[in-house]
């Protein structure tokens, strides 16, 4: 089934329903890769057709390492989505990437393990070596940055997303290593999502919402999960405004 879908959104922690999505219909998609995180919710938003999926499930029941990234992207693609924005909660490593800052990253370093990272590892599948020099679709990233400016919302253009395994947060030594490696942000769900999107030839970009300073990067001794969710709620409220501007551009 291919439906007219202008944009798909994969919601991360704190974004389980897309606010303002109207006249919704739910699609439970069977995929060759098993169950997706949940139904795709398709509806009207800002005068366009928008598909939404909650990456961790609508009741946040799936930890980052158990998300079926392949099934999620397959489900969206099979319904007709060709442009996807991944919304991801992250920790900030760079000094200007503190809580509530929104970043549109342009690079990734993948530290995850044991996840299904490709559609090629199914018997008989064609082996595809995608170019991943630039992991996010440049034009879509640029449109997102421009849309945020149109909406009057500050975002940082560019940054390197370090994808860790989770579900635990990192040690200070791990974050110090990520920093030496050149990571500006750390999150648990950016990969393999971005690579799978590229394999399916989906345009993909990320809105990274900073929930906390990563371990050892802020003044705090410990990271409070309550604070993470409070900061996330504040940053998440800006997401529909940015996406409405994107859809109007
Ligand atoms: N580390 C990894 N993932 C995260 C963090 C963090 O500090 N905060 C929100 N997601």
């Amino acid at each position: 089934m291919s439906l007219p879908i202008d944009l798909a959104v994969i919601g991360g922690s704190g974004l389980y329903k897309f606010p303002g999505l109207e006249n919704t219909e739910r699609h439970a998609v069977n995929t060759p890769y098993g169950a997706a995180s949940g139904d795709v919710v398709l509806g009207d938003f800002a005068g366009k057709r928008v598909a939404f999926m909650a990456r961790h499930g609508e009741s946040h029941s799936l930890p980052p390492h158990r998300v079926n990234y392949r099934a999620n992207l397959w489900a969206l693609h099979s319904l007709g989505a060709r442009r996807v924005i991944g919304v991801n909660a992250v920790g900030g490593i760079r000094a200007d990437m503190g809580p509530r800052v929104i970043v549109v990253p342009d690079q990734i370093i993948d530290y995850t393990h044991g996840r299904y990272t490709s559609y090629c590892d199914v018997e008989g599948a064609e082996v595809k070596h995608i170019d991943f020099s630039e992991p996010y679709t440049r034009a879509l990233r640029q449109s997102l940055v421009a849309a945020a400016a149109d909406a009057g919302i500050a975002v940082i253009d560019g940054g390197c997303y370090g994808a860790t395994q989770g579900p635990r947060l990192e040690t200070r030594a791990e974050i110090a290593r990520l920093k030496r490696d050149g990571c500006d942000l750390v999150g648990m769900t950016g990969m393999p999502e971005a690579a799978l999107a590229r394999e399916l030839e989906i345009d993909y970009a990320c809105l990274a919402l900073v929930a906390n300073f990563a371990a050892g990067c802020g003044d705090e001794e410990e990271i409070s999960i309550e604070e993470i969710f409070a900061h996330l709620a504040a940053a998440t409220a800006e997401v529909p405004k940015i996406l409405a501007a994107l859809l109007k551009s």
Side-chain angles (χ1 to χ4, degrees):
M1 176 167 33
S2 191
L3 302 167
I5 297 176
D6 297 297
L7 184 71
V9 180
I10 301 179
S13 294
L15 183 58
Y16 310 111
K17 267 201 170 76
F18 194 84
L21 196 60
E22 290 174 343
N23 308 317
T24 54
E25 56 198 52
R26 301 180 74 92
H27 294 270
V29 182
N30 282 323
T31 89
Y33 305 96
S37 296
D39 293 347
V40 177
V41 183
L42 182 59
D44 298 320
F45 176 74
K48 296 280 167 64
R49 298 293 286 163
V50 170
F52 178 78
M53 178 179 287
R55 186 186 287 114
H56 299 280
E58 289 175 17
S59 56
H60 201 141
S61 49
L62 293 165
H65 62 294
R66 305 209 48 177
V67 170
N68 191 338
Y69 297 92
R70 289 195 301 188
N72 289 354
L73 282 160
W74 184 273
L76 290 168
H77 184 269
S78 72
L79 287 177
R82 296 295 178 267
R83 276 205 306 177
V84 173
I85 304 293
V87 181
N88 302 75
V90 295
I93 297 175
R94 218 165 81 186
D96 61 343
M97 295 185 178
R100 303 190 182 202
V101 168
I102 301 178
V103 185
V104 181
D106 63 347
Q107 276 299 326
I108 299 175
I109 300 179
D110 188 7
Y111 302 89
T112 65
H113 48 86
R115 302 183 183 189
Y116 289 107
T117 56
S118 170
Y119 290 104
C120 297
D121 60 9
V122 175
E123 194 132 339
E126 179 206 350
V127 178
K128 247 194 200 170
H129 296 287
I130 51 164
D131 173 34
F132 207 48
S133 325
E134 201 166 336
Y136 301 108
T137 306
R138 185 185 296 183
L140 187 56
R141 272 194 74 256
Q142 288 170 342
S143 303
L144 256 187
V145 171
D150 288 347
I153 295 165
V155 299
I156 295 180
D157 178 3
C160 180
Y161 180 117
T164 53
Q165 179 71 354
R168 64 168 177 82
L169 298 173
E170 300 72 31
T171 65
R172 288 193 200 124
E174 286 169 336
I175 294 297
R177 173 171 77 132
L178 263 64
K179 192 171 180 173
R180 286 194 299 277
D181 284 355
C183 297
D184 302 306
L185 301 163
V186 57
M188 303 171 190
T189 50
M191 283 293 282
E193 199 170 273
L196 293 166
R198 180 67 50 85
E199 282 194 357
L200 292 178
E201 298 179 11
I202 290 173
D203 286 343
Y204 180 87
C206 165
L207 265 182
L209 312 181
V210 182
N212 56 284
F213 269 120
C217 296
D219 297 331
E220 285 162 27
E221 278 282 298
E222 283 182 18
I223 298 168
S224 133
I225 301 302
E226 289 73 37
E227 265 180 57
I228 285 191
F229 277 93
H231 291 313
L232 262 185
T236 301
E238 308 289 46
V239 170
K241 301 181 208 164
I242 298 173
L243 297 183
L246 177 72
L247 287 163
K248 291 204 166 105
S249 63

